[in-house]
Amino acid sequence: LNLTGEQSLDGKARVDGIALGAAGNITREWSLFANYTYLDSEVLHGVSSFCAANPGAANCGNTALFPDPLKGNPLTNTPKHSMSLWSTYQLNDWSFGYGATYQGGFYTQNSSLLGDLDPYKTEAYWVHRAMVGYRVNDSLGLQLNLNNLFDEEYYTRIRNNVTLTNGVITTGSGWATPGEGRSAVLTATLAGEEPGDAHLAAATSEMLASAATLARLMSPPPRRVPRFPGGLAGRAVAAGDGAGDRGRR
């Protein structure tokens, strides 16, 4: 009997995995940075002692047929595979970079009462980025960064909530934050202005204005984010402020 109404986490889970990383130079001009993470998660015990002894009791979320519906399933929001890669190459006054980030799919729900959990698994995605830099002189350096080069649609901070009554879905809702769309950013680095270098500041200002125009041209227009299929437990995605709505095709 919980007279205070306070709640605390209960249960046990295990995550086995490995994280690998590498950084170094293939040649004097060519550098490489990479990492990979593998996570194998499993719920060992997912209900309280009270609910285990009283399946189907109020606020327990289990049944006599599934006294521990989470047991044996993976943890939510825990991708099995994730990795990133970034490489740069220096060619005289020019520098070039290219990289990608991979996020594997993960489950937003892990109760066996829901039956097939595939509708509650997010899609894996790749995000590519590139960079080109130029050293104008000892005082000025320019760098153009292209983020999400192929305008991949993806979502972060995904939540999917369902309410089960006697093992049946009665209500459900969900939300997520759309990932950043394709963008271009030009930066200028000034190292100690010298007499007579005022024209560099003017040239830099013009380049930054051109970069802003380029970014507007490259960025896709806002799109309405639709509700995902899945009935009452459908993954409704609410666009966050800032990046603009990005709907799944």
Side-chain angles (χ1 to χ4, degrees), residues 51-52 54-57 61-69 113 166:
C51 290
N54 300 274
N62 62 348
T63 65
L65 183 61
F66 292 100
D68 193 345
L113 295 176
N166 296 323

Side-chain angles (χ1 to χ4, degrees), residues 114-128:
L114 297 171
D116 184 11
L117 293 178
D118 283 345
Y120 303 93
K121 187 175 183 180
T122 65
E123 295 181 359
Y125 62 84
W126 285 91
V127 175
H128 297 259

Side-chain angles (χ1 to χ4, degrees), residues 53-138:
N54 300 274
N59 299 319
C60 278
N62 62 348
T63 65
L65 183 61
F66 292 100
D68 193 345
L70 306 183
K71 185 176 181 180
N73 292 331
L75 288 171
T76 58
N77 299 287
T78 307
K80 183 165 287 189
H81 303 280
S82 59
M83 67 182 74
S84 65
L85 176 69
W86 178 251
S87 182
T88 61
Y89 190 85
Q90 189 73 35
L91 183 63
N92 299 323
D93 292 329
W94 291 89
S95 58
F96 304 90
Y98 193 88
T101 300
Y102 173 79
Q103 172 72 71
F106 57 82
Y107 291 96
T108 59
Q109 289 288 334
N110 60 350
S111 173
S112 295
L113 295 176
L114 297 171
D116 184 11
L117 293 178
D118 283 345
Y120 303 93
K121 187 175 183 180
T122 65
E123 295 181 359
Y125 62 84
W126 285 91
V127 175
H128 297 259
R129 56 195 185 279
M131 175 274 293
V132 59
Y134 179 66
R135 171 59 60 182
V136 179
N137 54 36
D138 291 339

Side-chain angles (χ1 to χ4, degrees), residues 17-23 32-39 80-86:
I18 185 172
L20 303 174
L32 181 68
F33 308 87
N35 64 71
Y36 168 77
T37 302
Y38 171 80
L39 299 175
K80 183 165 287 189
H81 303 280
S82 59
M83 67 182 74
S84 65
L85 176 69
W86 178 251

